[in-house]
Amino acid sequence: MDITPRKKLVHLDLKGAPPRVEYLHKLIELFSQLGADGLLVEYEDMFPYERELKLLQATTHPAYSPEEVLSMQEFAKSKAIEIIPLVQTFGHMEFVLKHRSLWNLREVPYCVGTLNPHKEEGVRLVMEMLRQVVKLHPGLNTLHIGADEVYTLGEGDESKLWLALPNRTVEKLFLSHVTKLARAIKEEWPHMTIIMWDDMMRGMSQETLIASDLVGLVQPMLWNYTPDLDVEITVSLLEKYHSAGMTELWAASSFKGSTNVYTCVPSTVRHVDNHLQWLRVAASLSAGVTLQGIAITGWQRYDHLSVLCELMPVALPSLASCLQTLFLGHFNSEAQFAVTEKLGISSVEVEEIGRSSAVDSMFPGRRLAELTVELNTLLNSDDIRFFENDMFIRGWFSPYHRRMKLVTPLITMQVHSKASGILTTLQQKVDTMREEMMCLFHEATVQEWMEEHVHPVMAPLRRITEEIRACVKEMVP
């Protein structure tokens, strides 16, 4: 079996590094040219919530305006790209529950992401979020309600009371909230297709799922982003959902944002391998079990309060390779050539694409991708990473020497010269990259990326140069 005739959605995670609108349109154009059918858009605090929900909008940079959200849809529609909003409704509610006025809606005080399922105020809040999103998406037919990684569920006082009654479990508590929400959505928008993440249901029996009344209300999206995805287990899960009556199933893969929470540059082969495994899953499903499509996720953060993952420009070769893998069913030299030809690059691995003076055309943000790779390589070079292990620093400028201000000026000035040279080179690259980043992202994203990747490297070098100057001043007349 082949999932390529089904929908292929590119996940656009806007809870970190939201692109400027002009760049967003260029990305949508590229996604269309690469063969994507839709966008799974996770707005979070970039959505222009109004009235009592206005506090949910981002404060570090401007949220998209209603006009910008509508223009994005119009542009996507002109490229035959469907937009499916993803609105978290249970877990990963950090961007909502971080606000002091909404702390009382948390399941437990110390978990910022999980909604208390017992408070009607919480359901009303979620429904109002959905109303505003649906209103700003005219003609919307499909919603993704999240519901993954509902941490600490069952640990709140009200949940403990609920669970104390016979035949009640955390599984049933989860299902009751999602069922209540799904019914409310269907009552308001009877035509609406509802998708949700599957992970909270993976350990549930078929009987539990059937008894939940969730069957017929939602379509599970089973996510797995690993290059060694277990085909047998994944097929078993999908067939369990199908047997329970959830016959419309989705897959979710990854083209970035799933290697490590702080990864800066993605590995294309890792993400291609994930898609090859998904193709094996699709081919192994029993007759009659099919996938509606696949969402190719591109996480920008692991959650609202974590650091930035890879920026979109450096991940575009990976995305193009993953889509090509889905189209062809493999990723041989022919597929790789198709990707490099389309994007105008020399390799599918962004670290090896090389410099080019060509116009971006099929690769919006290429210059930033090149600069990111160059700067990341420099920041992780042995000369910089292990600078404080240099023989001269450990031998003639140890913490003891610094404290006592007892140094050999001749040697320490050589160290100072080397550190200053590295700092100058770094600063030049940082300035160039900052200028390029500002064209595609807001200042807040630029600042965050620099503080995450650059400042931790440059700060120790600056400290060494300052300490050397102070020590030498004590030793030289």
Side-chain angles (χ1 to χ4, degrees):
M1 176 188 152
D2 186 359
I3 66 171
T4 53
R6 303 290 180 173
K7 289 183 179 178
K8 294 170 291 298
L9 311 176
V10 175
H11 174 232
L12 191 62
D13 182 12
L14 300 174
K15 64 177 173 280
R20 294 184 185 274
V21 173
E22 299 78 13
Y23 185 49
L24 189 54
H25 284 208
K26 290 180 180 179
L27 289 172
I28 293 172
E29 172 86 34
L30 175 64
F31 299 158
S32 172
Q33 292 173 343
L34 293 176
D37 306 300
L39 273 180
L40 182 62
V41 183
E42 189 160 359
Y43 290 100
E44 276 221 357
D45 58 0
M46 285 303 293
F47 188 79
Y49 287 107
E50 299 175 327
R51 300 183 298 280
E52 70 272 22
L53 298 184
K54 193 173 178 64
L55 83 165
L56 303 184
Q57 288 191 28
T59 55
T60 54
H61 43 69
Y64 294 122
S65 68
E67 294 74 22
E68 289 172 334
V69 172
L70 290 169
S71 76
M72 176 182 72
Q73 293 172 70
E74 284 300 313
F75 186 76
K77 186 178 180 180
S78 72
K79 302 298 175 183
I81 294 282
E82 176 187 9
I83 288 188
I84 300 175
L86 192 163
V87 182
Q88 288 288 0
T89 57
F90 203 175
H92 283 301
M93 293 277 284
E94 293 92 353
F95 87 102
V96 176
L97 301 178
K98 71 179 182 180
H99 297 284
R100 183 176 291 273
S101 61
L102 300 174
W103 284 6
N104 65 306
L105 297 181
R106 298 177 187 176
E107 169 72 340
V108 290
Y110 53 84
C111 182
V112 184
T114 297
L115 187 73
N116 182 330
H118 307 281
K119 293 184 181 294
E120 285 302 317
E121 184 186 346
V123 176
R124 286 196 297 271
L125 171 71
V126 167
M127 285 303 297
E128 180 57 25
M129 289 165 58
L130 292 173
R131 284 188 196 98
Q132 293 194 22
V133 170
V134 172
K135 182 180 178 181
L136 206 55
H137 289 77
L140 186 67
N141 295 311
T142 306
L143 265 175
H144 195 307
I145 60 169
D148 61 316
E149 298 181 332
V150 188
Y151 301 127
T152 72
L153 182 61
E155 296 180 18
D157 291 339
E158 290 170 276
S159 288
K160 287 177 180 177
L161 288 173
W162 190 91
L163 291 166
L165 295 176
N167 300 316
R168 288 187 171 180
T169 64
V170 173
E171 289 180 347
K172 291 180 179 178
L173 178 58
F174 171 82
L175 291 168
S176 67
H177 175 78
V178 177
T179 302
K180 179 195 296 186
L181 181 65
R183 282 176 173 160
I185 292 171
K186 286 291 188 179
E187 286 175 12
E188 195 141 348
W189 306 286
H191 69 284
M192 195 70 72
T193 295
I194 305 171
I195 302 173
M196 64 176 283
W197 298 120
D198 83 298
D199 55 288
M200 294 296 292
M201 301 187 292
R202 289 180 191 173
M204 297 182 190
S205 68
Q206 183 177 314
E207 293 71 27
T208 298
L209 291 171
I210 294 172
S212 70
D213 294 327
L214 201 55
V215 174
L217 289 175
V218 300
Q219 299 180 3
M221 181 176 276
L222 198 160
W223 57 270
N224 190 305
Y225 312 140
T226 60
D228 56 353
L229 176 158
D230 191 304
V231 173
E232 186 177 346
I233 289 176
T234 307
V235 168
S236 176
L237 278 170
L238 288 167
E239 294 190 344
K240 177 183 73 173
Y241 298 144
H242 189 273
S243 297
M246 296 177 172
T247 55
E248 295 177 294
L249 302 165
W250 293 77
S253 56
S254 172
F255 74 94
K256 81 177 188 75
S258 60
T259 303
N260 195 301
V261 68
Y262 49 77
T263 300
C264 182
V265 177
S267 161
T268 293
V269 68
R270 173 189 172 87
H271 296 290
V272 164
D273 285 346
N274 173 238
H275 286 77
L276 290 171
Q277 291 300 93
W278 270 114
L279 287 171
R280 293 185 181 102
V281 168
S284 303
L285 292 171
S286 300
V289 182
T290 59
L291 293 171
Q292 297 297 303
I294 187 166
I296 310 171
T297 64
W299 300 101
Q300 195 53 72
R301 302 186 194 276
Y302 274 32
D303 65 47
H304 181 76
L305 299 172
S306 64
V307 297
L308 292 171
C309 301
E310 309 98 309
L311 296 176
M312 183 62 80
V314 292
L316 293 179
S318 172
L319 174 61
S321 299
C322 293
L323 281 165
Q324 193 67 23
T325 301
L326 293 178
F327 277 117
L328 297 179
H330 54 74
F331 198 61
N332 58 14
S333 56
E334 172 198 353
Q336 293 182 46
F337 178 78
V339 171
T340 56
E341 187 77 1
K342 278 184 178 180
L343 295 185
I345 54 181
S346 57
S347 170
V348 296
E349 292 291 354
V350 70
E351 287 189 324
E352 301 168 12
I353 62 173
R355 284 289 193 94
S356 172
S357 58
V359 178
D360 275 349
S361 62
M362 281 287 284
F363 195 152
R366 172 175 179 148
R367 180 64 181 133
L368 181 57
E370 293 168 349
L371 291 168
T372 303
V373 169
E374 288 178 13
L375 184 54
N376 185 64
T377 301
L378 183 58
L379 291 170
N380 287 285
S381 65
D382 287 351
D383 279 351
I384 294 178
R385 286 183 64 196
F386 305 112
F387 190 79
E388 294 203 46
N389 288 331
D390 182 272
M391 180 184 76
F392 293 104
I393 293 178
R394 296 190 66 175
W396 283 271
F397 198 56
S398 69
Y400 172 80
H401 292 111
R402 300 178 204 190
R403 182 171 63 83
M404 298 298 293
K405 290 187 169 51
L406 189 65
V407 299
T408 303
L410 180 62
I411 292 178
T412 50
M413 289 310 293
Q414 290 175 347
V415 172
H416 183 279
S417 177
K418 184 177 180 180
S420 296
I422 292 173
L423 280 169
T424 299
T425 300
L426 271 174
Q427 192 61 57
Q428 289 171 345
K429 290 190 178 296
V430 166
D431 291 344
T432 303
M433 183 168 169
R434 176 182 289 276
E435 184 178 349
E436 194 66 27
M437 282 185 77
M438 284 295 295
C439 297
L440 309 184
F441 303 100
H442 294 285
E443 169 65 30
T445 295
V446 179
Q447 187 62 26
E448 182 181 356
W449 195 93
M450 294 298 173
E451 289 193 25
E452 179 183 339
H453 295 286
V454 177
H455 293 188
V457 176
M458 295 185 75
L461 291 170
R462 288 199 178 102
R463 187 183 65 250
I464 285 174
T465 59
E466 291 166 2
E467 290 177 342
I468 287 176
R469 283 197 299 269
C471 289
V472 169
K473 189 177 181 181
E474 296 290 324
M475 297 290 295
V476 177

